[in-house]
């Protein structure tokens, strides 16, 4: 094998290894993203995991005992700004998951259980979103 061929092979190996690291980015790291809410920069996520024909109800506090926010219904795919987080009641679909997000839709704000947002792993999003 010629020296030029080995150099090319080495470059290919480096590029392949680099491309492999790009595919290791997890959804948890990629789920929280930068966006704009009412023209202001924000950290955002999407509503997910809501049954067809149903919605995610905004609450006035971090739990199901808090009142519904009027007209505060969110469907799958809705993008929301994440203001801060707290703990409260467990999610309806996972009683052990107690993280709640104070969100802003650009029209109204309120609280939703993070179980229904594509924020990913709390260890990742807690680095970007302050505790309330």
């Amino acid at each position: 094998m010629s020296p030029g061929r080995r150099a090319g092979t080495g470059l290919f190996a480096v590029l392949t290894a680099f491309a492999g690291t790009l595919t290791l980015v997890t959804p948890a790291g990629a789920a929280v993203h930068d966006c704009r809410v009412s023209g202001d920069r924000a950290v955002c996520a999407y509503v997910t995991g809501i049954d067809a024909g149903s919605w995610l109800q905004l609450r006035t506090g971090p739990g199901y005992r808090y009142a519904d926010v009027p007209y505060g219904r969110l469907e799958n795919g809705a993008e929301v700004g994440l203001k801060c987080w707290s703990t409260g009641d467990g999610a309806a679909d996972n009683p052990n998951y107690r993280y709640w997000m104070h969100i802003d839709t650009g029209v109204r704000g309120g609280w939703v259980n993070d179980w229904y947002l594509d924020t990913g792993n709390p260890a990742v999003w807690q680095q970007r979103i302050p505790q309330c």
Side-chain angles (χ1 to χ4, degrees), residues 57-63 65-70 100 102 109-112:
Q57 180 65 53
L58 286 172
R59 304 269 177 188
T60 59
R65 67 186 176 277
Y66 291 91
D68 293 353
V69 171
W100 285 72
H102 188 224
W111 292 84
V112 296

Side-chain angles (χ1 to χ4, degrees), residues 48-131:
T48 187
I50 305 302
D51 293 334
S54 192
W55 62 87
L56 179 61
Q57 180 65 53
L58 286 172
R59 304 269 177 188
T60 59
Y64 296 109
R65 67 186 176 277
Y66 291 91
D68 293 353
V69 171
Y71 306 103
R73 294 180 174 185
L74 302 171
E75 296 179 357
N76 280 330
E79 186 178 50
V80 297
L82 308 173
K83 297 172 83 172
C84 61
W85 66 273
S86 186
T87 55
D89 298 340
D93 294 325
N94 183 350
N96 295 320
Y97 196 83
R98 305 176 68 80
Y99 294 111
W100 285 72
M101 290 287 180
H102 188 224
I103 66 165
D104 182 4
T105 67
V107 177
R108 61 192 41 86
W111 292 84
V112 296
N113 190 291
D114 180 58
W115 184 258
Y116 303 103
L117 302 175
D118 72 344
T119 54
N121 187 322
V124 175
W125 57 253
Q126 285 177 347
Q127 296 174 24
R128 295 197 60 198
I129 304 164
Q131 187 170 7

Side-chain angles (χ1 to χ4, degrees), residues 3-76:
R5 177 93 168 127
R6 276 188 291 232
T9 303
L11 179 59
F12 177 75
V14 168
L15 291 175
T16 302
F18 179 72
T21 61
L22 292 178
T23 59
L24 294 177
V25 174
T26 64
V32 173
H33 60 277
D34 294 326
C35 71
R36 293 196 176 267
V37 176
S38 299
D40 296 327
R41 288 183 180 190
V43 176
C44 293
Y46 293 102
V47 173
T48 187
I50 305 302
D51 293 334
S54 192
W55 62 87
L56 179 61
Q57 180 65 53
L58 286 172
R59 304 269 177 188
T60 59
Y64 296 109
R65 67 186 176 277
Y66 291 91
D68 293 353
V69 171
Y71 306 103
R73 294 180 174 185
L74 302 171
E75 296 179 357
N76 280 330

